[in-house]
Amino acid sequence: MQNLNPRMQRTTRLTTSALLATTALLFSYIEILIPYNVGIPGVKLGLANLAIIIALYKMDIKYAVSINLIRILLAGLLFSGLFAMVYSLAGGMLSLLVMYLLKRTDKFSMIGVSMAGGVAHNLGQLTVAALIVENAKMYVYFSVLLFSGIFFGIMIGIIAYIIEKKLPRSIFR
């Protein structure tokens, strides 16, 4: 394969970023449609994190942050509202920071990084909730969110790993 000139590389990365942001936004919408009548408020699959993890591994942190911010802001404006956007922003950014730091160590697999991201996301959202209601007792709920973050983080990590291996390298130049 021949190398792309710098302008084509930027265009390819921008297009890929837009595709990943759109995918993450679509997954956010799908999660809103899934009924969570299991009696555990705040527990979600984290489908949008598939696009974020792939961006983190195939592109770099700048693109992953941009994609995550675009997804959070648009999902908040389109689907969930300002309050949910604040929760999502706290969880999403803390999650991405934790995933980035763990990835940089080269000691964790994509699945382990995703799992830690799921737990960090729940911790970020719970911290915002505790600050809003001004009650640290909210952290009692972290035990429930810890297990859901671990479980769904592993599931999303496995799916992201499978998808990442099947994606052509040419779209991430």
Side-chain angles (χ1 to χ4, degrees):
M1 268 192 202
Q2 67 190 52
N3 289 334
L4 297 175
N5 67 44
R7 187 175 181 158
M8 286 296 292
Q9 284 180 330
R10 282 192 304 273
T11 302
T12 300
R13 289 175 86 70
L14 179 62
T15 304
T16 302
S17 296
L19 179 63
L20 287 171
T22 303
T23 302
L25 184 61
L26 179 64
F27 284 150
S28 292
Y29 181 66
I30 289 170
E31 276 201 284
I32 289 170
L33 298 177
I34 297 172
Y36 287 98
N37 295 330
V38 293
I40 307 173
V43 173
K44 294 204 175 205
L45 301 174
L47 294 174
N49 207 35
L50 284 167
I52 307 307
I53 292 172
I54 288 170
L56 183 62
Y57 273 82
K58 293 297 238 180
M59 298 174 91
D60 65 27
I61 187 64
K62 293 183 299 188
Y63 288 96
V65 167
S66 298
I67 292 164
N68 207 17
L69 283 174
I70 289 167
R71 192 261 321 163
I72 290 167
L73 294 174
L74 288 176
L77 292 172
L78 294 171
F79 313 132
S80 57
L82 184 62
F83 235 28
M85 190 187 318
V86 171
Y87 287 108
S88 189
L89 188 61
M93 289 295 112
L94 181 60
S95 172
L96 185 55
L97 175 65
V98 166
M99 290 191 300
Y100 171 70
L101 293 173
L102 291 179
K103 179 188 175 289
R104 281 188 53 183
T105 68
D106 288 327
K107 295 182 179 183
F108 298 90
S109 69
M110 183 183 279
I111 297 165
V113 168
S114 175
M115 180 189 70
V119 172
H121 191 280
N122 289 342
L123 180 61
Q125 289 189 328
L126 193 58
T127 299
V128 168
L131 290 171
I132 288 173
V133 299
E134 298 178 353
N135 190 343
K137 290 181 182 178
M138 294 287 293
Y139 286 103
V140 169
Y141 193 57
F142 185 63
S143 59
V144 172
L145 295 178
L146 175 69
F147 289 110
S148 71
I150 290 170
F151 179 77
F152 290 122
I154 289 171
M155 294 299 113
I156 294 299
I158 291 168
I159 296 167
Y161 178 80
I162 293 167
I163 290 171
E164 189 253 352
K165 293 298 176 201
K166 294 182 184 272
L167 289 172
R169 289 184 178 180
S170 61
I171 65 171
F172 295 103
R173 291 185 189 181

